[in-house]
Amino acid sequence: MSRVDVVCPDLGDFKDIPIIDVLVKVGDSIEIDTPLVTLETDKATMDVPSSAAGTIVELLVGKGSRVSKGTSLVRLESAAAATPPAPAPVQTPAQPQPAAAPAKPAAAAVPAPAPAPAPAPAAKPAAPAPAVDEPAATRTAQLLVLGAGPGGYTAAFRAADLGLKVTLVERWSTLGGVCLNVGCIPSKALLHAARVIEEAHEMSTRGIVFGAPQVDLVKLREWRSSVVRKLTGGLAALAKQRKVEVVRGEAKFLSPHVIEVTAGGKSETIRFEQCIIAAGSESVRLPFLPQDPRIIDSTGALELPDNPGEFLVIGGGIIGLEMACVFDALGARVSVVELTPQLMPGCDPDLVRPLEKRIKSRYAEILLNTRVVAVTAAAEGVQVTMEAQGGARSAKRYDHVLVAVGRSPNGGRIAADRAGVQVDKSGFIATDKQMRTNVPHIFAVGDIVGQPMLAHKATHEAKVAAEVTAGQKSYFDARVIPSVAYTDPEIAWAGLTETAAKAQNIEYEKSSFPWMASGRSLSIARDEGFTKLLFDPKTHRVLGGGIVGTSAGELISEVALAIETGADAADIGLTVHPHPTLSETVAMAAEAFEGTLTDLYLPKKR
Ligand SMILES: Cc1cc2nc3c(=O)[nH]c(=O)nc-3n(C[C@H](O)[C@H](O)[C@H](O)COP(=O)(O)OP(=O)(O)OC[C@H]3O[C@@H](n4cnc5c(N)ncnc54)[C@H](O)[C@@H]3O)c2cc1C
């Protein structure tokens, strides 16, 4: 046994850098490369890994200590002789060179007590070296991105733009993940088609009569696919322009630095310096469902089955209600069954009400507080048994059943444990604000890291992860992530909801503007919407907002921007909004709060 001190490596131009986190404690058994402390300069944060293995017998620094090249960090009891300092793979924070820059300097180990000479400054930052006993690999990647959805392709492209050599691994034949192939984009194309059918029908009472729509499902499917093709083809071109190497196949970790990719029965291995996991999520399948082509998930629904007929949607969340909207417009008799007392759980009930009112008058049934307990597939239809609150059971026959009961993350399907990445029971991978997992050179973004499972969250997280792998000091600290249901009417919200405020005893004041007083809303023949804003009673800053009505999804960005920038009611109300627009309703909700609104008569508040 010998004792060694692990010292801080050369940090380029930097001296006296504060330690913001100590990642180990006395008694820990550590390996070479185990991160010891996190340093923070004004340009970057970086973990300092150990250059020796052993048991920590003393911490020689603490949170807040300042370190420079050669500062002893920890004292180890080591069975082996101290490892000589490795050539320093140091990120030089003063000049963030994205070209090859993990923000991870190697620490040097020296016999105690005298500090060893510090490693020579690296001319160019390099990635942490893989351990010698890693499996052999047929290719190498500076940054490997696992999964090419919004999280994966955004991370890959951003990292490539920052100079990293990126390999993007995807099991599907096209890039774009769920969002482009079987999620956001095809569903919105079909929702547009549904909207056109509805608007044409509504105009019949206003003097313009079209004939009944003749739906050519083959052409509609082809149009939906052409939209998807344009976007996924565009991504392939963008990958090529950026020299991102795309490897097709199912990826699984073999070790912390090697991944195996299997396609068509053949496997290859890729050694990577850093990795971003963006393997996304997939539809939850209820365990008691039989295999039957009439029982579909959202992907099956987007294929638009012929003769949808009696169409049951299990799950009254956003995805289920969006698809219900499509099938309703296409002529199906839609029913929705939802386990909780409210459609779109999590959204404020007042925002859901206009949607509920509209679909109640159109759909066959909306069953709340009701659980599906059994499903059997028979020749004449799919028999579904439901249990209402209180235990009463009923059974009904449907032509198609769409199961939209949520999505589960793919964390359990990539052998993450072989890389040492922790995955929770649900399949989520926890990260810090830099999107770093518990393994310092492996990051994760998108659906796989948690709720809300939304494409715009994935892309923002992806940029942070890519920037951190390139040595930048980026954090994901968005104040709000807006949610949108592209139903008819649309529902959108951002920031604090009234439901959350009440549950958490957060003080707020609310003001809202009803769209029946909006000239623009009336002129598009819709008056059921409203815009509400929640304010901090003391500062008048916007805390949250919700909008229901046409294009609510477009309008909510102003609320999100207001919250991110700390805008208050006067900032919004005094911003001149164009007239007549639906966006005016945001300003008018702010004016209602300020007491300056003239488009409605409201008792003076302040
Ligand atoms: C019907 C529907 C509508 C939606 N509408 C919206 C919307 O309007 N707005 C919105 O923000 N969000 C929407 N979403 C959610 C959105 O699609 C997801 O939040 C988003 O796609 C998540 O991006 P991601 O990159 O994390 O994962 P994904 O898009 O799931 O991509 C993960 C990728 O990783 C690949 N992959 C997984 N495992 C492996 C492996 N082992 N090897 C190789 N490749 C692998 C997958 O094939 C996939 O391409 C919708 C989802 C659905 C299903």
Side-chain angles (χ1 to χ4, degrees):
M1 287 282 184
S2 64
R3 289 199 166 192
V4 294
D5 281 3
V6 178
V7 303
C8 194
D10 190 344
L11 299 165
D13 292 342
F14 278 68
K15 278 198 243 164
D16 292 333
I17 305 175
I19 292 177
I20 58 163
D21 209 357
V22 177
L23 307 167
V24 288
K25 56 184 184 322
V26 170
D28 282 357
S29 278
I30 61 164
E31 303 295 329
I32 291 175
D33 257 6
T34 300
L36 300 174
V37 295
T38 306
L39 309 181
E40 184 172 60
T41 70
D42 58 343
K43 294 274 193 304
T45 58
M46 63 197 94
D47 286 349
V48 178
S50 178
S51 58
T55 304
I56 296 179
V57 291
E58 196 176 345
L59 293 175
L60 303 170
V61 286
K63 230 175 177 172
S65 306
R66 290 182 168 267
V67 298
S68 304
K69 170 179 146 187
T71 307
S72 294
L73 302 173
V74 297
R75 184 158 297 156
L76 297 181
E77 201 156 69
S78 161
T83 316
V90 173
Q91 161 70 18
T92 307
Q95 299 150 332
Q97 288 284 325
K104 190 179 173 191
V110 294
K124 261 200 165 185
V132 278
D133 56 353
E134 292 274 355
T138 45
R139 292 188 202 219
T140 57
Q142 197 175 21
L143 174 66
L144 185 139
V145 180
L146 197 175
Y153 73 73
T154 305
F157 293 178
R158 180 77 181 119
D161 289 348
L162 291 171
L164 295 187
K165 186 178 165 291
V166 181
T167 299
L168 178 60
V169 183
E170 171 55 53
R171 61 184 174 176
W172 291 346
S173 58
T174 51
L175 306 183
V178 169
C179 172
L180 269 65
N181 291 286
V182 289
C184 322
I185 301 305
S187 62
K188 267 74 240 177
L190 296 181
L191 280 159
H192 171 68
R195 186 76 222 114
V196 170
I197 293 174
E198 288 313 310
E199 285 188 345
H201 176 68
E202 282 161 14
M203 285 311 285
S204 64
T205 59
R206 299 179 195 117
I208 299 179
V209 180
F210 297 90
Q214 298 192 2
V215 180
D216 180 338
L217 281 182
V218 175
K219 270 199 181 149
L220 185 54
R221 288 182 193 121
E222 176 44 34
W223 172 67
R224 173 218 59 205
S225 300
S226 71
V227 174
V228 169
R229 268 199 307 275
K230 258 180 219 147
L231 289 167
T232 56
L235 284 185
L238 290 174
K240 217 172 195 176
Q241 284 165 340
R242 292 181 158 92
K243 301 196 170 32
V244 169
E245 178 185 45
V246 177
V247 175
R248 308 270 172 208
E250 177 100 22
K252 281 193 164 51
F253 285 96
L254 291 181
S255 73
H257 281 282
V258 178
I259 212 152
E260 181 182 53
V261 182
T262 308
K266 289 194 183 140
S267 291
E268 65 169 315
T269 44
I270 306 175
R271 179 185 300 280
F272 57 84
E273 293 172 5
Q274 299 188 87
C275 175
I276 298 176
I277 302 171
S281 64
E282 55 188 38
S283 300
V284 168
R285 203 180 150 75
L286 295 172
F288 53 81
L289 293 180
Q291 285 289 349
D292 187 281
R294 295 163 298 180
I295 302 170
I296 53 181
D297 61 10
S298 58
T299 303
L302 290 166
E303 282 305 311
L304 297 178
D306 293 324
N307 309 317
E310 289 285 339
F311 191 90
L312 175 68
V313 179
I314 305 180
I318 292 180
I319 292 177
L321 291 174
E322 286 184 359
M323 294 318 302
C325 221
V326 169
F327 283 93
D328 171 54
L330 293 178
R333 260 177 62 81
V334 176
S335 300
V336 178
V337 54
E338 164 58 40
L339 183 64
T340 71
Q342 186 197 303
L343 290 176
M344 235 177 268
C347 178
D348 279 346
D350 58 343
L351 292 173
V352 183
R353 228 163 274 136
L355 170 72
E356 196 171 352
K357 189 169 165 219
R358 180 175 163 84
I359 64 179
K360 257 188 181 157
S361 67
R362 302 174 62 95
Y363 294 3
E365 264 186 316
I366 297 172
L367 301 155
L368 300 177
N369 282 316
T370 305
R371 176 192 296 273
V372 172
V373 289
V375 177
T376 53
E380 64 281 6
V382 181
Q383 193 75 10
V384 179
T385 307
M386 301 180 208
E387 188 177 277
Q389 203 181 27
R393 287 196 171 195
S394 60
K396 287 190 185 121
R397 190 200 65 80
Y398 297 93
D399 295 304
H400 285 91
V401 175
L402 163 60
V403 184
V405 293
R407 298 187 60 80
S408 77
N410 287 330
R413 298 162 182 269
I414 52 174
D417 55 319
R418 293 195 209 141
V421 173
Q422 283 161 9
V423 180
D424 76 11
K425 277 190 197 135
S426 314
F428 286 115
I429 295 173
T431 67
D432 62 14
K433 284 191 158 195
Q434 294 196 302
M435 311 315 301
R436 205 187 286 270
T437 68
N438 63 303
V439 178
H441 66 279
I442 301 182
F443 298 74
V445 300
D447 284 5
I448 206 161
V449 307
Q451 302 287 356
M453 290 192 185
L454 292 169
H456 41 280
K457 186 199 70 140
T459 56
H460 279 261
E461 290 173 345
K463 285 190 178 165
V464 169
E467 287 162 6
V468 176
T469 61
Q472 293 193 356
K473 188 179 170 182
S474 299
Y475 292 86
F476 183 74
D477 58 4
R479 285 188 175 165
V480 295
I481 299 166
S483 293
V484 181
Y486 298 85
T487 43
D488 185 8
E490 285 186 10
I491 302 176
W493 65 100
L496 185 68
T497 61
E498 283 193 81
T499 312
K502 283 172 190 154
Q504 295 163 36
N505 281 325
I506 299 172
E507 270 187 57
Y508 70 95
E509 275 184 38
K510 173 171 80 166
S511 76
S512 52
F513 184 81
W515 285 21
M516 62 185 155
S518 153
R520 181 64 177 175
S521 186
L522 294 181
S523 62
I524 57 168
R526 297 297 291 261
D527 62 1
E528 78 271 61
F530 69 90
T531 299
K532 75 167 172 181
L533 296 174
L534 308 186
F535 295 98
D536 182 319
K538 293 195 186 82
T539 64
H540 297 189
R541 283 191 172 180
V542 188
L543 299 174
I547 303 175
V548 53
T550 305
S551 300
E554 302 289 341
L555 303 174
I556 200 67
S557 296
E558 181 175 356
V559 179
L561 183 65
I563 299 170
E564 284 292 346
T565 55
D568 63 17
D571 293 325
I572 299 178
L574 293 175
T575 298
V576 180
H577 287 63
H579 175 77
T581 57
L582 297 172
S583 69
E584 277 175 307
T585 66
V586 180
M588 288 173 181
E591 286 183 351
F593 178 80
E594 289 280 285
T596 57
L597 179 66
T598 50
D599 284 46
L600 284 176
Y601 178 70
L602 299 172
K604 192 146 177 69
K605 271 174 69 176
R606 57 188 95 242

